[in-house]
Amino acid sequence: MHSILLNYLLWWRPAGYIIVFLGMMIEGDAVLFSAAFLTHRGFFDFVNMAVIVVASVLIGDSLWYWLGMWLDRKFPAVHQWLERATRPFDAHLVDRPLRTIFISKFAYGLHHPLLMRAGVLGISYKNFLKSDIVSSAAWIAIVGGIGFFSSVSFFLARRFLRFAEVALLLGLLIFFFVWHFISKSTKAKL
């Protein structure tokens, strides 16, 4: 693999670990997938990366929880926004925090507000942490596993990449054609 950026990671791996640690707190899915992919490719040590990912997820989720408690008291506008965005999930968050936190990990843009809402609702930190540990372990296994094992398939399929590019282009063209046809036919019915 010829890449300037990835070669720099080989020279100074601590920067990569720091980027993953901070990135997991802000946007977990893409960072976890990329970290797992690069770990399988040999850019990172598996054990070190596993420790970094787990620590980052648990620390980051706890910070979001505490941030929700703090912002709720200090900034009423944030409280109103948070309540509007997450109120439909309050009963689920209080009654079934494990399931709710786990599902929110796969819902883009919903996970961090729900963690903040857990702090606002006064869910005990102990219950929050238990639910977060279990749901985070499952989420890491799923998303990290997909990233890790997609590296294997990428290595095996790299000579067929040109065919995949053409297939992707054809698929997009067919999608846009069908989308255009459906949108035109629904407009005609209105």
Side-chain angles (χ1 to χ4, degrees):
M1 181 182 301
H2 299 286
S3 171
I4 295 172
L5 178 65
L6 295 178
N7 286 333
Y8 283 121
L9 282 178
L10 286 174
W11 289 345
W12 204 56
R13 285 187 184 169
Y17 291 120
I18 292 168
I19 290 169
V20 169
F21 183 81
L22 296 174
M24 289 291 297
M25 290 183 187
I26 299 167
E27 167 46 43
D29 290 328
V31 175
L32 177 59
F33 183 89
S34 301
F37 186 93
L38 292 173
T39 299
H40 184 268
R41 302 296 299 154
F43 287 96
F44 298 112
D45 178 63
F46 180 81
V47 174
N48 291 340
M49 185 55 71
V51 169
I52 294 291
V53 165
V54 170
S56 178
V57 168
L58 295 179
I59 291 170
D61 287 357
S62 294
L63 288 175
W64 285 105
Y65 172 87
W66 293 111
L67 181 67
M69 288 180 104
W70 182 76
L71 285 177
D72 184 53
R73 287 183 236 136
K74 301 283 184 186
F75 300 99
V78 173
H79 173 75
Q80 290 172 347
W81 168 80
L82 195 57
E83 190 169 338
R84 269 195 316 257
T86 60
R87 181 188 294 221
F89 306 103
D90 284 356
H92 297 286
L93 194 56
V94 171
D95 297 337
R96 295 175 294 281
L98 173 65
R99 184 184 312 170
T100 307
I101 292 172
F102 175 72
I103 292 171
S104 77
K105 286 189 175 285
F106 294 96
Y108 187 76
L110 184 63
H111 181 61
H112 294 148
L114 272 177
L115 296 177
M116 291 170 67
R117 186 69 177 167
V120 170
L121 292 174
I123 295 173
S124 77
Y125 183 69
K126 182 180 176 183
N127 288 340
F128 167 79
L129 194 58
K130 281 194 300 188
S131 299
D132 192 48
I133 289 171
V134 173
S135 63
S136 294
W139 174 75
I140 290 169
I142 292 168
V143 175
I146 291 170
F148 192 81
F149 293 113
S150 70
S151 174
V152 174
S153 64
F154 178 76
F155 180 72
L156 295 174
R158 70 179 175 198
R159 65 180 102 136
F160 299 108
L161 200 53
R162 274 189 235 135
F163 298 118
E165 290 171 347
V166 171
L168 179 62
L169 178 62
L170 287 174
L172 285 172
L173 289 174
I174 291 169
F175 170 76
F176 285 123
F177 176 75
V178 170
W179 180 65
H180 177 70
F181 177 74
I182 290 173
S183 67
K184 223 176 191 181
S185 65
T186 56
K187 284 181 185 176
K189 289 180 182 179
L190 296 176

